[in-house]
Amino acid sequence: MTKFLPLSKAVADNLNNGDTVAFEGFTHLIPTAAAHEAIRQGFKDLTLVRMTPDLIYDQMIGMGMARKAIFSYAGNPGVGLLRRLRDAVENGFPHALEIEEHSHAAMANAYEAGAAGLPCAIFRGYRGAELARVNPNIKSVTCPFTGEVLAAVPSVRPDVTFIHAQKANKRGDVLVEGIIGIQKEAALAAKRAVVTVEEVVDNFDDLHPNLTVLPNWSVTAISVVPGGAHPSYAHGYYIRDNASYLEWDEIAADRDRFREWMQKNVIEKTADDFAGRVEHLRNVA
């Protein structure tokens, strides 16, 4: 049964040191508030899984929380590289980071396989690519029916997935609108799923039945955190804060400036602070 919890308790109850965890969002509805709460609680030895890891994974890696990253394309969207991730990979700062890189297609199929309870994903991919030379988890299999050689990767089945969404109803069902990336599959693939939302409504009776809804049986906990996707956007609520992404490139370039920023803007803050960060972005959403 879905529990409605303050974010601090939802994170504390569902994330553990050493977990494989996905904070999923594909440019849209990125669960920043949940990631920041995990940073404040100081978890360690995490395996971070994500299609397109961006600022929040740069922050978690820079704070020494991760031992491994499983991902497809790591970067600051529209700006450039992730400097804290690169520092960890190239210089072992703040400690060494193991990486397992895939294509977007591989990650999407791996999540789908995880959601289906399958051990691996089989798909057409990696033809002409060389990632298999550096990633031993990229294999090939021969179709027993056609003889076609296909790519295979392990399924992704996180211990816990965190996503952000627009609405939950009082039953604990979750509505996701707009670009949904792989959030639904990531939630269904996980042992536990925690969702932060902009608001809770009585029901979804007036909504189109084809909108993406996660039923309450698939959601472990829901936390109401208005603005919880900032600096990404929440369709229908607020737009993307492009200035924050540009600013991050400069902040993350310097180790001391990074730590100072994290202390002031994450460690000393709470989830309640997110609502104020998006007020100037709401009237144009």
Side-chain angles (χ1 to χ4, degrees), residues 3-280:
K3 295 181 179 179
F4 288 84
L5 299 172
L7 182 58
S8 58
K9 183 166 177 55
V11 172
D13 286 356
N14 290 287
L15 184 59
N16 304 289
N17 290 330
D19 273 356
T20 295
V21 55
F23 291 82
E24 267 300 340
F26 196 76
T27 75
H28 175 228
L29 296 173
I30 294 170
T32 310
H36 283 188
E37 184 58 44
I39 291 170
R40 281 190 290 272
Q41 295 189 24
F43 292 97
K44 300 292 184 183
D45 299 320
L46 301 176
T47 295
L48 301 177
V49 186
R50 176 87 181 272
M51 285 181 66
T52 65
D54 64 350
L55 273 58
I56 57 173
Y57 276 24
D58 210 28
Q59 293 165 0
M60 297 175 81
I61 290 166
M63 295 298 285
M65 298 174 66
R67 69 170 187 84
K68 182 177 181 179
I70 302 172
F71 65 96
S72 57
Y73 173 75
N76 182 345
V79 180
L81 52 83
L82 294 180
R83 298 185 183 276
R84 293 298 90 223
L85 183 151
R86 183 168 183 170
D87 202 8
V89 171
E90 293 185 347
N91 303 310
F93 185 89
H95 57 69
L97 178 72
E98 182 183 351
I99 60 172
E100 181 179 323
E101 186 173 2
H102 289 279
S103 66
H104 285 340
M107 289 297 295
N109 278 277
Y111 271 125
E112 286 192 323
L118 297 171
C120 69
I122 299 172
F123 61 102
R124 290 187 179 95
Y126 291 120
R127 293 177 179 175
E130 296 185 344
L131 268 177
R133 293 186 180 183
V134 295
N135 183 349
N137 276 335
I138 299 171
K139 306 289 187 182
S140 62
V141 296
T142 300
C143 175
F145 304 105
T146 66
E148 182 180 2
V149 177
L150 301 166
V153 296
S155 62
V156 170
R157 306 184 74 177
D159 293 302
V160 57
T161 288
F162 292 88
I163 65 170
H164 189 76
Q166 282 91 348
K167 298 175 183 177
N169 63 22
K170 291 184 177 180
R171 291 178 43 193
D173 306 313
V174 172
L175 168 70
V176 188
E177 297 180 281
I179 297 173
I180 61 171
I182 204 72
Q183 284 101 311
K184 179 179 70 174
E185 290 81 0
L188 294 174
K191 297 175 184 175
R192 302 177 296 280
V194 178
V195 184
T196 54
V197 296
E198 293 293 323
E199 62 176 324
V200 174
V201 298
D202 289 337
N203 56 63
F204 294 154
D205 293 349
D206 59 340
L207 299 174
H208 192 284
N210 286 344
L211 291 174
T212 301
V213 175
L214 285 170
N216 55 26
W217 56 261
S218 68
V219 179
T220 309
I222 293 171
S223 300
V224 181
V225 188
H230 180 268
S232 73
Y233 70 104
H235 175 71
Y237 289 80
Y238 45 89
I239 64 171
R240 188 177 190 265
D241 188 352
N242 290 320
S244 290
Y245 287 88
L246 291 169
E247 181 185 20
W248 182 253
D249 190 54
E250 296 182 2
I251 293 166
D254 181 83
R255 292 175 180 176
D256 292 335
R257 185 177 177 187
F258 163 76
R259 293 294 301 204
E260 290 170 2
W261 190 94
M262 293 296 294
Q263 181 66 33
K264 180 180 179 181
N265 294 280
V266 179
I267 304 301
E268 296 176 4
K269 299 291 185 180
T270 70
D272 294 336
D273 294 308
F274 273 84
R277 299 178 189 179
V278 299
E279 282 307 312
H280 69 294

